[in-house]
Short mmCIF file of all heavy atoms in Angstrom, two decimals:
data_model
loop_
_atom_site.label_atom_id
_atom_site.label_comp_id
_atom_site.label_asym_id
_atom_site.label_seq_id
_atom_site.Cartn_x
_atom_site.Cartn_y
_atom_site.Cartn_z
N THR A 18 49.53 -100.71 -142.75
CA THR A 18 49.22 -100.13 -141.44
C THR A 18 48.51 -98.79 -141.57
O THR A 18 47.99 -98.27 -140.60
CB THR A 18 50.52 -99.92 -140.62
OG1 THR A 18 51.43 -99.12 -141.39
CG2 THR A 18 51.18 -101.25 -140.32
N GLY A 19 48.50 -98.25 -142.79
CA GLY A 19 47.82 -96.98 -143.04
C GLY A 19 46.58 -97.20 -143.87
O GLY A 19 46.03 -98.31 -143.91
N PRO A 20 46.12 -96.16 -144.56
CA PRO A 20 44.91 -96.28 -145.40
C PRO A 20 45.08 -97.36 -146.46
O PRO A 20 46.17 -97.56 -147.01
CB PRO A 20 44.78 -94.89 -146.03
CG PRO A 20 45.52 -93.97 -145.10
CD PRO A 20 46.65 -94.79 -144.56
N VAL A 21 44.00 -98.06 -146.75
CA VAL A 21 44.05 -99.12 -147.73
C VAL A 21 44.22 -98.53 -149.13
O VAL A 21 43.67 -97.48 -149.45
CB VAL A 21 42.77 -99.99 -147.67
CG1 VAL A 21 41.54 -99.17 -148.04
CG2 VAL A 21 42.88 -101.19 -148.58
N THR A 22 45.03 -99.17 -149.95
CA THR A 22 45.20 -98.74 -151.33
C THR A 22 44.29 -99.55 -152.24
O THR A 22 43.90 -100.68 -151.92
CB THR A 22 46.66 -98.90 -151.79
OG1 THR A 22 47.09 -100.25 -151.55
CG2 THR A 22 47.57 -97.96 -151.02
N ALA A 23 43.97 -98.99 -153.40
CA ALA A 23 42.95 -99.59 -154.26
C ALA A 23 43.38 -100.93 -154.84
O ALA A 23 42.56 -101.85 -154.97
CB ALA A 23 42.62 -98.62 -155.40
N GLY A 24 44.65 -101.07 -155.19
CA GLY A 24 45.11 -102.27 -155.87
C GLY A 24 44.75 -103.58 -155.17
O GLY A 24 44.01 -104.41 -155.72
N PRO A 25 45.24 -103.80 -153.95
CA PRO A 25 44.94 -105.05 -153.25
C PRO A 25 43.46 -105.24 -152.95
O PRO A 25 42.95 -106.36 -153.00
CB PRO A 25 45.77 -104.95 -151.96
CG PRO A 25 46.82 -103.96 -152.26
CD PRO A 25 46.21 -102.98 -153.20
N ALA A 26 42.76 -104.15 -152.62
CA ALA A 26 41.34 -104.26 -152.28
C ALA A 26 40.53 -104.72 -153.49
O ALA A 26 39.70 -105.64 -153.39
CB ALA A 26 40.82 -102.92 -151.78
N VAL A 27 40.77 -104.12 -154.64
CA VAL A 27 40.06 -104.51 -155.86
C VAL A 27 40.46 -105.92 -156.27
O VAL A 27 39.62 -106.73 -156.70
CB VAL A 27 40.34 -103.52 -157.00
CG1 VAL A 27 39.70 -103.99 -158.31
CG2 VAL A 27 39.82 -102.13 -156.64
N ALA A 28 41.76 -106.24 -156.13
CA ALA A 28 42.23 -107.58 -156.51
C ALA A 28 41.60 -108.66 -155.63
O ALA A 28 41.28 -109.75 -156.11
CB ALA A 28 43.75 -107.64 -156.41
N LEU A 29 41.42 -108.36 -154.34
CA LEU A 29 40.79 -109.34 -153.44
C LEU A 29 39.35 -109.59 -153.86
O LEU A 29 38.91 -110.75 -153.95
CB LEU A 29 40.83 -108.82 -152.00
CG LEU A 29 40.16 -109.71 -150.95
CD1 LEU A 29 40.84 -111.07 -150.87
CD2 LEU A 29 40.18 -109.03 -149.57
N PHE A 30 38.62 -108.53 -154.13
CA PHE A 30 37.23 -108.67 -154.58
C PHE A 30 37.17 -109.44 -155.90
O PHE A 30 36.34 -110.33 -156.08
CB PHE A 30 36.60 -107.30 -154.74
CG PHE A 30 35.21 -107.34 -155.31
CD1 PHE A 30 34.12 -107.67 -154.52
CD2 PHE A 30 35.00 -107.05 -156.65
CE1 PHE A 30 32.84 -107.71 -155.05
CE2 PHE A 30 33.72 -107.09 -157.19
CZ PHE A 30 32.64 -107.42 -156.40
N ALA A 31 38.08 -109.09 -156.82
CA ALA A 31 38.10 -109.77 -158.12
C ALA A 31 38.45 -111.25 -157.96
O ALA A 31 37.85 -112.12 -158.61
CB ALA A 31 39.11 -109.09 -159.05
N GLY A 32 39.41 -111.55 -157.08
CA GLY A 32 39.81 -112.94 -156.88
C GLY A 32 38.67 -113.79 -156.34
O GLY A 32 38.45 -114.92 -156.80
N ILE A 33 37.92 -113.24 -155.37
CA ILE A 33 36.78 -113.96 -154.83
C ILE A 33 35.72 -114.17 -155.91
O ILE A 33 35.11 -115.24 -156.02
CB ILE A 33 36.19 -113.21 -153.62
CG1 ILE A 33 37.20 -113.21 -152.47
CG2 ILE A 33 34.87 -113.83 -153.17
CD1 ILE A 33 36.80 -112.33 -151.30
N SER A 34 35.51 -113.16 -156.75
CA SER A 34 34.54 -113.27 -157.84
C SER A 34 34.98 -114.31 -158.86
O SER A 34 34.14 -115.04 -159.41
CB SER A 34 34.37 -111.90 -158.52
OG SER A 34 33.90 -110.93 -157.61
N VAL A 35 36.28 -114.39 -159.13
CA VAL A 35 36.80 -115.39 -160.05
C VAL A 35 36.51 -116.80 -159.52
O VAL A 35 36.12 -117.69 -160.28
CB VAL A 35 38.32 -115.21 -160.27
CG1 VAL A 35 38.92 -116.42 -161.00
CG2 VAL A 35 38.59 -113.95 -161.08
N ILE A 36 36.70 -116.98 -158.22
CA ILE A 36 36.41 -118.29 -157.62
C ILE A 36 34.95 -118.66 -157.83
O ILE A 36 34.62 -119.79 -158.23
CB ILE A 36 36.75 -118.27 -156.12
CG1 ILE A 36 38.24 -118.08 -155.90
CG2 ILE A 36 36.27 -119.56 -155.45
CD1 ILE A 36 38.63 -117.86 -154.45
N GLY A 37 34.05 -117.71 -157.60
CA GLY A 37 32.63 -117.98 -157.78
C GLY A 37 32.30 -118.34 -159.21
O GLY A 37 31.59 -119.33 -159.47
N ALA A 38 32.81 -117.54 -160.16
CA ALA A 38 32.54 -117.83 -161.58
C ALA A 38 33.18 -119.13 -162.00
O ALA A 38 32.61 -119.92 -162.76
CB ALA A 38 33.06 -116.68 -162.44
N GLY A 39 34.39 -119.39 -161.49
CA GLY A 39 35.10 -120.61 -161.85
C GLY A 39 34.40 -121.86 -161.36
O GLY A 39 34.31 -122.86 -162.08
N LEU A 40 33.90 -121.81 -160.14
CA LEU A 40 33.18 -122.97 -159.61
C LEU A 40 31.91 -123.24 -160.42
O LEU A 40 31.54 -124.40 -160.65
CB LEU A 40 32.82 -122.74 -158.14
CG LEU A 40 34.01 -122.74 -157.16
CD1 LEU A 40 33.55 -122.37 -155.76
CD2 LEU A 40 34.68 -124.11 -157.15
N ALA A 41 31.25 -122.16 -160.87
CA ALA A 41 30.08 -122.33 -161.72
C ALA A 41 30.47 -122.96 -163.05
O ALA A 41 29.77 -123.83 -163.58
CB ALA A 41 29.40 -120.98 -161.96
N ALA A 42 31.62 -122.54 -163.60
CA ALA A 42 32.10 -123.11 -164.86
C ALA A 42 32.45 -124.58 -164.71
O ALA A 42 32.12 -125.41 -165.56
CB ALA A 42 33.30 -122.31 -165.37
N VAL A 43 33.13 -124.91 -163.62
CA VAL A 43 33.51 -126.30 -163.37
C VAL A 43 32.27 -127.18 -163.22
O VAL A 43 32.22 -128.32 -163.70
CB VAL A 43 34.40 -126.40 -162.11
CG1 VAL A 43 34.60 -127.86 -161.70
CG2 VAL A 43 35.75 -125.73 -162.36
N ALA A 44 31.25 -126.64 -162.55
CA ALA A 44 30.02 -127.39 -162.31
C ALA A 44 29.12 -127.44 -163.55
O ALA A 44 28.11 -128.14 -163.56
CB ALA A 44 29.25 -126.80 -161.14
N GLY A 45 29.46 -126.67 -164.58
CA GLY A 45 28.66 -126.67 -165.79
C GLY A 45 27.35 -125.92 -165.66
O GLY A 45 26.37 -126.23 -166.36
N VAL A 46 27.30 -124.92 -164.79
CA VAL A 46 26.09 -124.12 -164.63
C VAL A 46 25.88 -123.30 -165.91
O VAL A 46 26.79 -122.63 -166.39
CB VAL A 46 26.20 -123.18 -163.42
CG1 VAL A 46 24.93 -122.34 -163.26
CG2 VAL A 46 26.46 -123.99 -162.15
N ASP A 47 24.67 -123.35 -166.46
CA ASP A 47 24.42 -122.65 -167.71
C ASP A 47 24.21 -121.16 -167.49
O ASP A 47 24.23 -120.67 -166.35
CB ASP A 47 23.22 -123.26 -168.46
CG ASP A 47 21.91 -123.14 -167.69
OD1 ASP A 47 21.85 -122.33 -166.73
OD2 ASP A 47 20.96 -123.85 -168.04
N ALA A 48 24.01 -120.43 -168.59
CA ALA A 48 23.91 -118.97 -168.51
C ALA A 48 22.77 -118.53 -167.62
O ALA A 48 22.91 -117.60 -166.82
CB ALA A 48 23.74 -118.40 -169.92
N ASP A 49 21.62 -119.18 -167.73
CA ASP A 49 20.48 -118.79 -166.90
C ASP A 49 20.79 -119.01 -165.42
O ASP A 49 20.41 -118.18 -164.58
CB ASP A 49 19.24 -119.61 -167.29
CG ASP A 49 18.69 -119.22 -168.65
OD1 ASP A 49 19.00 -118.10 -169.11
OD2 ASP A 49 17.96 -120.04 -169.25
N GLY A 50 21.46 -120.11 -165.12
CA GLY A 50 21.82 -120.38 -163.73
C GLY A 50 22.79 -119.37 -163.17
O GLY A 50 22.65 -118.91 -162.03
N VAL A 51 23.80 -118.98 -163.98
CA VAL A 51 24.78 -117.99 -163.52
C VAL A 51 24.12 -116.63 -163.34
O VAL A 51 24.37 -115.93 -162.35
CB VAL A 51 25.95 -117.89 -164.52
CG1 VAL A 51 26.92 -116.78 -164.09
CG2 VAL A 51 26.70 -119.21 -164.61
N ARG A 52 23.25 -116.26 -164.28
CA ARG A 52 22.56 -114.98 -164.15
C ARG A 52 21.65 -114.97 -162.91
O ARG A 52 21.52 -113.94 -162.24
CB ARG A 52 21.75 -114.69 -165.41
CG ARG A 52 22.60 -114.40 -166.64
CD ARG A 52 21.76 -113.83 -167.78
NE ARG A 52 22.59 -113.57 -168.95
CZ ARG A 52 22.68 -114.37 -170.01
NH1 ARG A 52 21.98 -115.51 -170.04
NH2 ARG A 52 23.46 -114.05 -171.02
N ALA A 53 21.03 -116.10 -162.63
CA ALA A 53 20.20 -116.19 -161.43
C ALA A 53 21.04 -115.98 -160.18
O ALA A 53 20.62 -115.31 -159.23
CB ALA A 53 19.50 -117.55 -161.37
N ARG A 54 22.26 -116.52 -160.18
CA ARG A 54 23.15 -116.33 -159.04
C ARG A 54 23.57 -114.87 -158.92
O ARG A 54 23.64 -114.32 -157.81
CB ARG A 54 24.38 -117.23 -159.18
CG ARG A 54 24.07 -118.71 -159.05
CD ARG A 54 25.33 -119.55 -159.13
NE ARG A 54 25.03 -120.96 -158.89
CZ ARG A 54 25.95 -121.90 -158.72
NH1 ARG A 54 27.25 -121.58 -158.78
NH2 ARG A 54 25.61 -123.16 -158.49
N GLU A 55 23.88 -114.26 -160.06
CA GLU A 55 24.26 -112.85 -160.03
C GLU A 55 23.14 -111.99 -159.46
O GLU A 55 23.39 -111.11 -158.62
CB GLU A 55 24.61 -112.39 -161.45
CG GLU A 55 25.88 -113.01 -162.01
CD GLU A 55 26.08 -112.71 -163.48
OE1 GLU A 55 25.08 -112.38 -164.18
OE2 GLU A 55 27.22 -112.81 -163.95
N ARG A 56 21.92 -112.23 -159.92
CA ARG A 56 20.79 -111.46 -159.41
C ARG A 56 20.58 -111.71 -157.93
O ARG A 56 20.32 -110.76 -157.16
CB ARG A 56 19.51 -111.83 -160.18
CG ARG A 56 19.44 -111.29 -161.60
CD ARG A 56 18.04 -111.44 -162.16
NE ARG A 56 17.65 -112.85 -162.27
CZ ARG A 56 17.87 -113.60 -163.33
NH1 ARG A 56 18.47 -113.09 -164.40
NH2 ARG A 56 17.46 -114.86 -163.37
N ALA A 57 20.69 -112.96 -157.51
CA ALA A 57 20.47 -113.30 -156.10
C ALA A 57 21.49 -112.62 -155.20
O ALA A 57 21.14 -112.08 -154.14
CB ALA A 57 20.51 -114.82 -155.92
N VAL A 58 22.75 -112.64 -155.61
CA VAL A 58 23.79 -111.99 -154.81
C VAL A 58 23.55 -110.48 -154.76
O VAL A 58 23.68 -109.84 -153.71
CB VAL A 58 25.19 -112.30 -155.37
CG1 VAL A 58 26.25 -111.44 -154.67
CG2 VAL A 58 25.51 -113.77 -155.19
N GLY A 59 23.20 -109.90 -155.91
CA GLY A 59 22.92 -108.47 -155.95
C GLY A 59 21.79 -108.09 -155.02
O GLY A 59 21.88 -107.11 -154.27
N VAL A 60 20.71 -108.87 -155.04
CA VAL A 60 19.58 -108.60 -154.16
C VAL A 60 19.99 -108.76 -152.70
O VAL A 60 19.63 -107.93 -151.85
CB VAL A 60 18.40 -109.55 -154.48
CG1 VAL A 60 17.32 -109.46 -153.41
CG2 VAL A 60 17.81 -109.22 -155.85
N ALA A 61 20.76 -109.81 -152.39
CA ALA A 61 21.19 -110.03 -151.01
C ALA A 61 22.02 -108.87 -150.49
O ALA A 61 21.86 -108.43 -149.34
CB ALA A 61 21.98 -111.34 -150.93
N VAL A 62 22.92 -108.36 -151.33
CA VAL A 62 23.77 -107.24 -150.92
C VAL A 62 22.94 -105.98 -150.72
O VAL A 62 23.10 -105.26 -149.72
CB VAL A 62 24.87 -107.00 -151.97
CG1 VAL A 62 25.62 -105.69 -151.68
CG2 VAL A 62 25.86 -108.16 -151.99
N VAL A 63 22.04 -105.70 -151.67
CA VAL A 63 21.21 -104.50 -151.57
C VAL A 63 20.30 -104.56 -150.33
O VAL A 63 20.16 -103.57 -149.60
CB VAL A 63 20.37 -104.31 -152.85
CG1 VAL A 63 19.32 -103.22 -152.66
CG2 VAL A 63 21.27 -103.97 -154.02
N VAL A 64 19.69 -105.71 -150.11
CA VAL A 64 18.80 -105.86 -148.95
C VAL A 64 19.59 -105.68 -147.65
O VAL A 64 19.14 -104.98 -146.73
CB VAL A 64 18.11 -107.24 -148.97
CG1 VAL A 64 17.43 -107.53 -147.64
CG2 VAL A 64 17.09 -107.30 -150.10
#
C-alpha cells in the first residue's frame, strides 16, 4: 500500500524475461534469432 520495494519489482521483470527466453529455448530459436529479438525489444522500448 506504500512505496514499491525493489525486490518484487525486479523479480517481476526478471520473471517475465525468463518466460521470453524460455519460450525461445523451447522453440529452438538460435542465437541470431534471440539477439534479433533482444534488439527489436530494445528499439521498441526506446522508441
Side-chain angles (χ1 to χ4, degrees):
T18 56
V21 64
T22 54
V27 175
L29 178 61
F30 175 79
I33 294 172
S34 300
V35 168
I36 295 172
L40 291 174
V43 170
V46 180
D47 63 16
D49 289 340
V51 176
R52 291 192 181 99
R54 292 183 175 189
E55 292 171 338
R56 286 193 297 270
V58 171
V60 169
V62 170
V63 169
V64 168

